[in-house]
Amino acid sequence: MTINTLFFGVVMDITGLRKAALTLEKEMTIREFQEYLLEKYPGLIDINNFAFAVNESYVKDDFKIQDKDVVAIIPPVSGG
Amino acid sequence: MTINTLFFGVVMDITGLRKAALTLEKEMTIREFQEYLLEKYPGLIDINNFAFAVNESYVKDDFKIQDKDVVAIIPPVSGG
Amino acid sequence: MEDRISVLLTPKKLNQQKCYDFVQDASCGGIVTFTGTVRNHTSGKEVKQLEFSAYTSMAVKELIKIAERALKRFDILKIALHHAEGLLQVGDIPVIIAVSSSHRKAAFEACEYAINTLKETVPIWKKEFFEDGEVWVNAHP
Amino acid sequence: MEDRISVLLTPKKLNQQKCYDFVQDASCGGIVTFTGTVRNHTSGKEVKQLEFSAYTSMAVKELIKIAERALKRFDILKIALHHAEGLLQVGDIPVIIAVSSSHRKAAFEACEYAINTLKETVPIWKKEFFEDGEVWVNAHP
């Protein structure tokens, strides 16, 4: 399945990308996707922690990603 | 001794005066002065409660009024 | 301490930008403002207008005391307390309190402290005018 | 509920009067405002400028969620949450939150709740520029 992944802030700097269409070989939870990301972009290990949003809403670690989902990696926010 | 007395808000309406030079026959505390005022202006009994300021500072009931003091009767404030 | 305090009691229209500009500072991270506005009703009765009168000289002293205490008690940078005198219409602004700080929590606390204390201690009196009469607020039991 | 909420995420300069005018109402007695301002230093280092970037579509949704929760949780009338994107200089305003209410305590609580929650949940990122480099705030342990 293919998911659209969005990168922001420090994560964008580390990956060098604003977005990427990633092809996953199996269904994944957010937890599994995070491990997959850390393998693909080892620099992410330096980040404080990050959250995930699927289709513009925060999701938990056990959320199952679906085909065509838009998955955003949310590094620590600092608005305001 | 003579003191200058200032009236504000509802107290001004009751006494019909903005200020008055009152001659006291003896030295008085604020508590005694309050009794004196209630005799002089019986309408004041209807007021919620009032505080006193001498020379522009709040004073307590046992404060002793001096000759030439400016004594303000402060009905419940409602600024803001 | 005086250059960190702006106190005003005036028959003129209050100016929010003036309060903001006074407290704003390149070293502050946030500004909390309380702006009072004249409501169109009190306990279900329609308010036509308000009149504020003050023991002016003492009121200014009490406003300064509040500002000084706020500066001592809270970790804030500057504070402005401006209050109007005279006739005000619905929507007009009787009071503005602005506080700047590096720490927003302190600014919120100081601003709330200042307006609460102002309403308790500053010798200013509000008369409400209704269709059928007028009343000094808080005067009667 | 929508006519009681104003949410904005914009590359333009924020406008305090606009926020005030949105929340002001003849039935409200007070307005509490939090205005963020860009500080000239962070942990002792001089800040030259800031840049805010956002996951815009989601950030707007999160701002609306905060406004809706504030309206449910506190006895307030209206709320505005405006946030800036892009480059800001020292003294500029990244965020304004304005809340109107009959009861000032509720307005203070709702305003503080809104800015605290915004700083925790809204996907907006701040980059600080110093003389000798730049850093994403909060990014690293």
Side-chain angles (χ1 to χ4, degrees):
Chain A
M1 65 182 198
T2 304
I3 60 168
N4 291 303
T5 313
L6 306 179
F7 306 108
F8 296 98
V10 66
V11 173
M12 193 175 72
D13 285 1
I14 288 169
T15 62
L17 295 168
R18 280 186 166 279
K19 56 173 107 178
L22 299 179
T23 303
L24 308 183
E25 286 175 14
K26 62 179 184 81
E27 202 179 59
M28 282 185 184
T29 62
I30 286 291
R31 194 179 296 107
E32 289 163 338
F33 181 63
Q34 179 163 358
E35 286 161 20
Y36 165 87
L37 275 178
L38 284 170
E39 266 178 46
K40 201 169 169 71
Y41 307 106
L44 293 179
I45 200 81
D46 294 332
I47 307 312
N48 208 349
N49 59 51
F50 37 91
F52 290 86
V54 173
N55 305 329
E56 303 182 353
S57 288
Y58 285 106
V59 292
K60 296 194 172 165
D61 276 0
D62 57 359
F63 182 92
K64 280 182 186 152
I65 301 169
Q66 309 290 317
D67 189 32
K68 304 273 187 297
D69 273 349
V70 177
V71 181
I73 295 107
I74 313 276
V77 301
S78 48
Chain B
M1 65 183 198
T2 305
I3 61 168
N4 291 304
T5 312
L6 306 179
F7 306 107
F8 296 98
V10 68
V11 173
M12 192 175 71
D13 285 2
I14 289 169
T15 62
L17 296 169
R18 280 187 167 279
K19 56 172 106 178
L22 299 178
T23 304
L24 308 182
E25 286 176 15
K26 62 179 186 81
E27 200 180 61
M28 282 186 184
T29 62
I30 286 291
R31 193 179 295 108
E32 290 162 337
F33 181 63
Q34 179 163 359
E35 286 161 20
Y36 165 87
L37 275 178
L38 283 169
E39 265 177 48
K40 199 169 172 70
Y41 307 107
L44 291 179
I45 199 81
D46 294 331
I47 307 312
N48 208 350
N49 58 54
F50 37 91
F52 289 85
V54 173
N55 304 330
E56 303 183 352
S57 288
Y58 285 107
V59 292
K60 297 194 171 162
D61 276 1
D62 57 359
F63 181 92
K64 281 182 188 153
I65 300 170
Q66 310 290 318
D67 189 33
K68 306 271 187 295
D69 274 348
V70 176
V71 181
I73 295 107
I74 312 276
V77 302
S78 48
Chain C
M1 189 181 272
E2 273 163 33
D3 57 338
R4 295 163 63 197
I5 293 174
S6 169
V7 157
L8 186 67
L9 185 58
T10 175
K12 293 188 195 160
K13 202 171 146 66
L14 298 189
N15 185 325
Q16 296 186 79
Q17 191 64 45
K18 211 166 148 182
C19 291
Y20 180 86
D21 290 344
F22 176 80
V23 299
Q24 210 284 324
D25 190 284
S27 72
C28 89
I31 292 167
V32 173
T33 305
F34 176 81
T35 308
T37 57
V38 176
R39 275 201 280 182
N40 58 5
H41 67 279
T42 293
S43 327
K45 280 187 84 170
E46 190 187 346
V47 173
K48 294 291 179 190
Q49 58 179 19
L50 292 185
E51 184 168 15
F52 285 93
S53 56
Y55 182 5
T56 308
S57 53
M58 180 176 165
V60 167
K61 284 185 181 177
E62 290 292 324
L63 289 170
I64 292 171
K65 275 186 200 167
I66 294 171
E68 289 174 343
R69 280 190 207 130
L71 285 174
K72 272 187 202 152
R73 191 180 294 198
F74 305 99
D75 184 13
I76 60 174
L77 196 67
K78 293 183 184 173
I79 181 167
L81 293 102
H82 290 195
H83 202 293
E85 284 185 284
L87 276 181
L88 274 77
Q89 311 302 319
V90 171
D92 283 353
I93 298 176
V95 64
I96 300 173
I97 295 178
V99 180
S100 60
S101 176
S102 303
H103 310 93
R104 66 183 184 280
K105 191 172 161 55
F108 275 106
E109 286 174 350
C111 189
E112 198 168 6
Y113 164 81
I115 180 64
N116 288 350
T117 310
L118 183 155
K119 283 172 180 271
E120 285 168 10
T121 65
V122 180
I124 298 177
W125 297 274
K126 175 163 64 179
K127 191 181 238 182
E128 290 177 333
F129 293 79
F130 305 101
E131 191 70 64
D132 61 350
E134 53 195 70
V135 66
W136 289 105
V137 176
N138 292 349
H140 298 285
Chain D
M1 190 182 272
E2 274 163 32
D3 57 337
R4 295 164 62 198
I5 293 174
S6 169
V7 158
L8 186 67
L9 185 58
T10 176
K12 291 186 196 161
K13 204 170 145 67
L14 298 189
N15 185 324
Q16 296 187 80
Q17 192 63 45
K18 211 166 149 182
C19 291
Y20 180 86
D21 290 343
F22 176 80
V23 299
Q24 210 284 324
D25 190 284
S27 71
C28 89
I31 292 168
V32 173
T33 304
F34 176 81
T35 309
T37 57
V38 176
R39 274 200 281 183
N40 60 3
H41 66 279
T42 293
S43 327
K45 281 186 82 170
E46 190 188 346
V47 173
K48 293 293 179 189
Q49 58 179 19
L50 293 185
E51 184 169 16
F52 285 94
S53 56
Y55 181 4
T56 307
S57 53
M58 181 175 164
V60 168
K61 284 185 183 179
E62 290 292 323
L63 289 170
I64 292 171
K65 276 186 200 166
I66 294 170
E68 288 175 343
R69 280 189 208 129
L71 286 174
K72 274 186 200 154
R73 192 181 292 198
F74 304 100
D75 185 12
I76 60 173
L77 196 67
K78 293 183 185 174
I79 181 166
L81 293 102
H82 291 195
H83 202 293
E85 286 185 283
L87 276 181
L88 274 78
Q89 310 301 320
V90 171
D92 283 353
I93 298 177
V95 64
I96 301 172
I97 295 178
V99 179
S100 60
S101 175
S102 302
H103 310 92
R104 66 183 184 278
K105 191 171 162 56
F108 275 106
E109 287 175 349
C111 190
E112 197 168 7
Y113 164 81
I115 181 63
N116 288 350
T117 309
L118 184 155
K119 283 173 181 271
E120 285 169 9
T121 67
V122 180
I124 298 175
W125 297 273
K126 174 163 64 178
K127 191 181 240 182
E128 289 177 333
F129 292 79
F130 305 102
E131 191 69 65
D132 60 351
E134 52 194 70
V135 66
W136 288 105
V137 176
N138 291 348
H140 298 284

